[in-house]
Amino acid sequence: MTIHQNLIAGEWTGTAGTENINPSDTNEVVGLYASANAQDVAGAIAAAKAAFPAWSRSGILERHTILKKTGEEILARKEELGALLAREEGKTLPEAIGETIRAAQIFEFFSGEALRLAGEILPSVRPNIGVEITREPLGVIGIITPWNFPIAIPAWKIAPALCYGNTIVFKPADLVPGCSWAIVDILHRAGLPKGVMNLVMGKGSVVGQAMLDSPVLSGITFTGSVVTGKRVALSSVEHGRKYQLEMGGKNPMVVLDDADLTVAVEAAANSAFFSTGQRCTASSRLIVTEGIHDKFVAALTEKLKTLNVDNALKSGTHIGPVVDAKQLKTDTDYIEIGRQEGAKLAFGGELVSRDTPGFYLQPTLFTEATNQMRISREEIFGPVASVIRVKDYDEALAVANDTPFGLSSGIATTSLKHATHFKRNAEAGMVMVNLPTAGVDFHVPFGGRKGSSFGPREQGKYAAEFFTTVKTAYTLA
Ligand code: UN1
């Protein structure tokens, strides 16, 4: 098997291989990928630093063209890259192809943003002086991405970083290096100058740590766990650099008595169980008012019976496997915790075996949960959700907001009054009305509040906040 190497200073390099395993069929090695060491990371950082002066002054047409070509190639290869994604991460093939299309759209969007860079010209408060406000690139950006969106999250960090003239040292999650390698290969062939984009695959404890320890990085953008996010923050304060964190969620989905039951059940099933619940925007707290509670639980349970848990590549699969043995253990530990805390297991909870050996877990629904239980407070990151019964809208809103997290918050209701009040009062970065809490657009801001996120929003034109620094220039006329 060929080894997919790291890209440092425009050269493919590295020998030691990490096996990329298919969670739907653990006998299958998806590919071999090089593992970087601290010296490789130092080389990548030095290359990105050396490439920065020229790239930061590169023409916007050059950036536009490279980003556009990259988006076009990803789109043209959506079936192949989608299949690679499904094999390395375990989301279903339609979800994986959808995510690949989203990555292409993100490159397309930022290829356009490169042509729309603008500033402001203002008069000074003093006579005969002009003021110009411009955005300049930040410098060398460290990009650290998680395993659950192997192509979309790298795209939504890489595309804006390049669009605004930064150079990159990129560490993808070691569980899913395949799609990241493919994006970097495409960008490299699309004509990015040497050193602008450096890929260092490998372990967080080695590669990630070497990035955090570097005084050269001007910014780090990170999506992943709360624990690692805190380490990114601490090291960034130490080195005086900008940082952007997207971490966990414990997203509520409120269902009110007046909800359209079909809409509520579809939104809840999608939010909690699609992509195997492995989305930071997934909903794991279904907060349901008492008038609709029993009907909702019955209808959702019926729906869960129709969802096939199976190999991600098989047609008809609704829920793929859990990503690996470690995450599966976390999920099953939480199912046990839920039982011990006194929640009622209404559906699922069991491992299942299929034709191919993989990490298959039934979608799992608890009822009679309280918001104080650990299963309601801690992010599980698996196909496990709990129903919390509440009296009315006011209690639902209070419970929805009673969490250390604040990424996405959903409500199913036909009441304009409650929908409007919820949009204003949900303590979250994103609010969804009659829609799943997960599944976001690529051209508008993404991010949360409280323990979920830190720093400026990602995506859309708001991405400029993180990836640029503002300059105010005064000139005597
Ligand atoms: C989505 O719900 O469409 O890691 C995107 C995550 C998020 C992305 C969610 N950063 O799950």
Side-chain angles (χ1 to χ4, degrees):
M1 243 184 204
T2 47
I3 292 181
H4 297 81
Q5 295 174 298
N6 289 310
L7 184 68
I8 299 174
E11 306 296 332
W12 294 107
T13 160
T15 49
T18 304
E19 286 187 345
N20 183 356
I21 302 291
N22 178 352
S24 296
D25 181 356
T26 52
N27 291 328
E28 192 203 8
V29 177
V30 177
L32 289 180
Y33 292 83
S35 295
N37 57 32
Q39 225 175 333
D40 296 328
V41 178
I45 293 172
K49 187 180 174 193
F52 180 71
W55 181 250
S56 66
R57 289 184 205 105
S58 58
I60 56 170
L61 191 58
E62 182 182 0
R63 297 183 210 168
H64 164 80
T65 307
I66 292 170
L67 293 171
K68 192 163 161 57
K69 266 173 129 174
T70 301
E72 283 166 357
E73 182 169 337
I74 292 172
L75 193 61
R77 293 171 57 193
K78 65 179 193 293
E79 308 280 339
E80 171 217 337
L81 293 173
L84 171 64
L85 199 169
R87 282 167 73 211
E88 69 176 345
E89 199 269 349
K91 65 181 64 172
T92 65
L93 192 56
E95 287 176 328
I97 293 173
E99 186 186 328
T100 306
I101 295 170
R102 194 200 299 200
Q105 289 164 327
I106 291 166
F107 277 99
E108 168 77 24
F109 177 85
F110 283 104
S111 76
E113 285 300 279
L115 300 180
R116 287 188 286 268
L117 290 173
E120 287 183 273
I121 296 182
L122 280 71
S124 165
V125 292
R126 290 166 284 161
N128 300 323
I129 293 176
V131 180
E132 285 169 24
I133 303 168
T134 49
R135 288 189 178 275
E136 295 186 354
L138 203 56
V140 179
I141 307 272
I143 295 180
I144 303 179
T145 57
W147 50 260
N148 65 331
F149 280 84
I151 197 161
I153 294 181
W156 84 45
K157 294 182 190 294
I158 291 169
L162 295 174
C163 165
Y164 299 114
N166 302 283
T167 59
I168 296 173
V169 176
F170 170 37
K171 182 218 168 299
D174 59 339
L175 270 180
V176 293
C179 290
S180 291
W181 189 91
I183 292 190
V184 173
D185 171 53
I186 294 169
L187 279 164
H188 181 59
R189 286 187 289 98
L192 262 192
K194 281 183 191 313
V196 172
M197 170 90 239
N198 300 277
L199 173 70
V200 278
M201 298 174 288
K203 293 254 170 281
S205 55
V206 178
V207 178
Q209 192 59 47
M211 288 167 70
L212 301 196
D213 291 344
S214 168
V216 176
L217 300 184
S218 302
I220 294 189
T221 174
F222 167 83
T223 300
S225 71
V226 173
V227 174
T228 309
K230 278 202 174 133
R231 290 176 41 204
V232 173
L234 287 171
S235 72
S236 297
V237 169
E238 177 90 35
H239 291 294
R241 71 173 159 242
K242 209 167 168 181
Y243 60 102
Q244 177 181 51
L245 310 176
E246 286 300 341
M247 302 174 289
K250 197 71 200 174
N251 308 297
M253 168 96 219
V254 168
V255 179
L256 296 185
D257 286 356
D258 62 31
D260 175 319
L261 191 61
T262 311
V263 167
V265 167
E266 287 301 314
N270 177 320
S271 302
F273 304 113
F274 287 12
S275 301
T276 322
Q278 298 175 149
R279 298 185 280 194
C280 57
T281 44
S283 174
S284 46
R285 293 187 298 139
L286 309 173
I287 301 164
V288 185
T289 49
E290 55 195 11
I292 198 171
H293 178 277
D294 293 357
K295 264 185 290 179
F296 173 79
V297 169
L300 181 56
T301 309
E302 280 311 305
K303 170 84 188 173
L304 295 185
K305 288 182 191 157
T306 69
L307 299 181
N308 302 324
V309 179
D310 209 330
N311 191 311
L313 290 163
K314 205 163 153 180
S315 93
T317 296
H318 300 103
I319 300 176
V322 172
V323 75
D324 70 350
K326 187 165 161 248
Q327 183 62 49
L328 184 64
K329 167 130 182 26
T330 303
D331 297 349
T332 51
D333 283 354
Y334 271 110
I335 292 170
E336 189 48 38
I337 289 168
R339 280 197 176 107
Q340 283 172 12
E341 286 180 311
K344 185 175 149 220
L345 189 65
F347 190 86
E350 300 295 330
L351 302 185
V352 285
S353 58
R354 293 293 179 251
D355 293 346
T356 47
F359 307 110
Y360 298 110
L361 174 63
Q362 289 178 317
T364 300
L365 185 70
F366 282 109
T367 53
E368 311 304 333
T370 72
N371 199 43
Q372 300 316 316
M373 292 177 176
R374 282 182 63 195
I375 54 166
S376 302
R377 303 210 76 78
E378 297 168 20
E379 184 175 49
I380 300 173
F381 222 62
V384 184
S386 326
V387 176
I388 301 170
R389 188 198 301 257
V390 291
K391 197 161 71 298
D392 54 15
Y393 170 74
D394 291 339
E395 189 185 352
L397 176 66
V399 169
N401 286 338
D402 176 12
T403 167
F405 296 105
L407 186 57
S408 181
S409 197
I411 189 166
T413 179
T414 52
S415 152
L416 181 62
K417 182 178 147 206
H418 286 141
T420 306
H421 189 269
F422 191 79
K423 278 191 275 185
R424 292 255 169 84
N425 293 283
E427 292 168 5
M430 297 175 293
V431 182
M432 310 290 188
V433 179
N434 292 321
L435 287 167
T437 53
V440 300
D441 283 4
F442 64 86
H443 69 308
V444 291
F446 175 92
R449 299 182 184 177
K450 301 200 275 187
S452 288
S453 307
F454 184 87
R457 290 288 182 264
E458 303 194 80
Q459 303 212 70
K461 60 182 183 337
Y462 286 68
E465 291 299 322
F466 180 74
F467 290 100
T468 65
T469 179
V470 170
K471 180 173 277 174
T472 313
Y474 297 80
T475 310
L476 180 64

